[in-house]
Amino acid sequence: MPRHVIARAEDLPPGTRKLVHVAGRDIVILNIKGELFALSNKCPHKGGSLARGKLTGLVLSAEPGTYQYSRAGEMLRCPWHGWEFDVRTGRSWCDPDRLRLMNYRVSVEPGAAVAAGPYVAETFAVTVEDAYVVVETR
Amino acid sequence: MNLDAPFVAEPRHESAADPERQPKARLQIIDGDVHPALRTPADLKPYLSQRWWEHFQTWGGRRRSGMSYEPYPKSQPRASRRDAWPAEGGAPGSSLRLMREQYLDAYGIEYGILGPLGLTGQSEFNLDFAGALASAVNDWQRESFSVPEPRLKSAIVVPYDDGEAAAREIDKRADDPAFAQVFMLTRSQEPAGRKRYWPIYAAAERHGLPVGMHVFGASGHPYTGAGWPSYYIEESSGHSTSCQTVVTSLVMEGVFERFPKLKVVIIEGGFGWLPALTWRLDKLFERMRSEVPHLKRRPSEYIREHIWLTTQPMEEPKDPRQLLDVMEWIGWDRLLFASDYPHWDFDDPFRAFPAALSRERLQQILTGNGKAVYRLA
């Protein structure tokens, strides 16, 4: 399970995102209200870059004339054709089994732990005082 | 304007640069639907007389009430890919720099056929102003896109509800190699085959230019035969019915009898509907021929000979063989690739088509058919 250091935690505050290239993959890291998500960047429908997608809520309806709005900011909508993906599972709403994003483990680790390894931090000078965003590739 | 997409790092490489695409990139792609945009309406000022610029400043445009120029947000802001906003500002489609980087160069586009929408004079009620705007848009396309970037061919935008003025605009541009097609919209004031539009077809035929019929048009006619629907999803699917009106009217009015060399390209309406429409027209023709005695052949024959269709937005059936059946029926020489760049329902030339499509067929759709239809001098 290679673990990659991709940012200083303070450089990825809530409401921001970052597109990174690790282990041959493009991965979009999202900080949604302090919670981190890491998903493959390429839309499995036709290849749009999800790093450019809008975060929306999930609107559902039990019957015509009613609606329930939930999961504010947890659906990532492709910037091209608008396919909706659940950031928690990577699955698309309309075809969840066939069209899904890879979903990576991502966490914030203290600099001391990162410095101790075993992490891949090619582009970062790690200091023990800082915290780092770490994504795990399978 | 893209306020809700916060900080995004520049992609390390855009999807178009995927290694899997490189061999295919040698296909020289012709794209039948690329949308240039004004940065601001003032971009047209150099090409409008003072009389019409002041008119625009004082009176604005007049369309059916509520029919706006601005498709905002329409699925995505300005109905555009969210990654197509130029860093230097302006709307998607307004930056030749980004269009080159993100699309023309990235995909190896040989020619992109422009189709301006919005403030173009089409659907204006004041027909003299419509003519002035259309002509200004043609100058603007030429100077802003086709002259600096010869891969981009301009469309002769015509104020189609004034057939004579439209024909004059075609005559004025026809010898200019910057222009590759005549450009109309599918929701015109009357069905496209009516005689008021015949001067346009006469001029197009005279100059060997295809007439592109792009979906939309703010004539005021609803998207459906029963008025205005509630949802954008209904508008989007409803474009195919306006295309069916175009095809049916052109055939039934005898346009292809009168203009036997006329080429018509249906743009952005999909194509899956064409076989069913053609079957129905042939069946009815056998029963009702005497009502339209000016037709010498079956509707299917006129359609097969005179109608081309761009592929975007592609139908996407779960079983791709069904799509290939439809394409086979329409004719491999009748389908033209189009991307609709920079709009949100963009088709990627390397991902839009079923994998089962042979390289030879793909090449025909991406390249060969466009060379046969458009004037690409």
Side-chain angles (χ1 to χ4, degrees), chain B residues 9-317:
Chain B
E10 279 301 306
R12 186 173 170 278
H13 48 232
E14 291 287 356
S15 55
D18 283 358
E20 69 197 53
R21 295 195 174 138
Q22 294 313 309
K24 288 181 181 173
R26 286 195 294 271
L27 289 171
Q28 294 299 297
I29 297 166
I30 297 172
D31 181 342
D33 193 26
V34 176
H35 293 294
L38 299 168
R39 289 168 302 174
T40 83
D43 285 351
L44 295 182
K45 187 178 175 187
Y47 311 114
L48 284 169
S49 65
Q50 191 170 0
R51 179 259 186 280
W52 285 119
W53 178 251
E54 281 186 16
H55 176 93
F56 179 55
Q57 295 296 292
T58 309
W59 306 107
R62 278 182 48 72
R63 294 176 160 193
R64 182 64 62 95
S65 289
M67 304 297 283
S68 150
Y69 292 124
E70 265 303 306
Y72 188 91
K74 218 172 186 186
S75 180
Q76 310 278 22
R78 226 163 188 274
S80 293
R81 286 169 42 164
R82 299 178 76 92
D83 56 358
W85 289 81
E88 63 267 38
S94 67
S95 162
L96 180 56
R97 176 199 64 79
L98 183 59
M99 196 181 282
R100 280 174 171 149
E101 283 175 23
Q102 183 173 50
Y103 186 57
L104 301 176
D105 296 342
Y107 287 85
I109 303 300
E110 184 176 13
Y111 289 110
I113 313 296
L114 298 176
L117 300 173
L119 184 63
T120 65
Q122 296 185 325
S123 309
E124 282 291 331
F125 287 148
N126 178 336
L127 291 179
D128 290 334
F129 183 43
L133 271 178
S135 200
V137 164
N138 293 335
D139 285 331
W140 162 79
Q141 283 178 88
R142 184 182 189 285
E143 299 305 321
S144 302
F145 292 91
S146 296
V147 168
E149 177 49 84
R151 285 176 292 181
L152 293 172
K153 291 290 187 181
S154 295
I156 304 176
V157 173
V158 292
Y160 47 77
D161 284 314
D162 183 344
E164 294 297 338
R168 285 196 300 276
E169 185 65 21
I170 296 169
D171 287 337
K172 178 178 165 188
R173 307 289 176 177
D175 292 336
D176 185 340
F179 293 88
Q181 68 169 343
V182 175
F183 193 70
M184 298 174 67
L185 303 176
T186 54
R187 284 205 317 282
S188 41
Q189 290 288 345
E190 293 184 49
R194 300 274 292 171
K195 280 195 173 152
R196 64 187 291 176
Y197 302 115
W198 286 24
I200 300 170
Y201 308 135
E205 184 189 52
R206 186 161 65 241
H207 297 293
L209 289 163
V211 176
M213 294 272 190
H214 189 286
V215 300
F216 297 104
S219 60
H221 295 306
Y223 307 120
T224 83
W228 295 96
S230 302
Y231 302 110
Y232 179 36
I233 194 170
E234 295 176 275
E235 175 188 343
S236 297
S237 58
H239 288 314
S240 65
T241 61
S242 72
C243 295
Q244 293 179 50
T245 301
V246 168
V247 171
T248 304
S249 177
L250 289 172
V251 170
M252 291 305 155
E253 296 276 0
V255 168
F256 299 126
E257 274 299 323
R258 183 62 175 271
F259 306 107
K261 292 182 181 161
L262 183 63
K263 298 182 281 190
V264 173
V265 182
I266 305 289
I267 306 170
E268 206 179 336
F271 53 80
W273 46 269
L274 187 64
L277 175 71
T278 307
W279 295 329
R280 187 162 296 272
L281 292 177
D282 271 5
K283 171 180 171 167
L284 292 170
F285 180 72
E286 289 158 5
R287 289 154 175 75
M288 303 162 80
R289 186 213 57 82
S290 65
E291 188 189 17
V292 284
H294 49 276
L295 300 189
K296 308 301 182 205
R297 294 187 284 157
R298 290 169 190 276
S300 57
E301 294 174 55
Y302 295 112
I303 290 170
R304 187 68 178 77
E305 191 173 317
H306 294 277
I307 301 288
W308 282 256
L309 304 102
T310 61
T311 51
Q312 181 274 345
M314 288 276 288
E315 281 85 355
E316 295 178 17

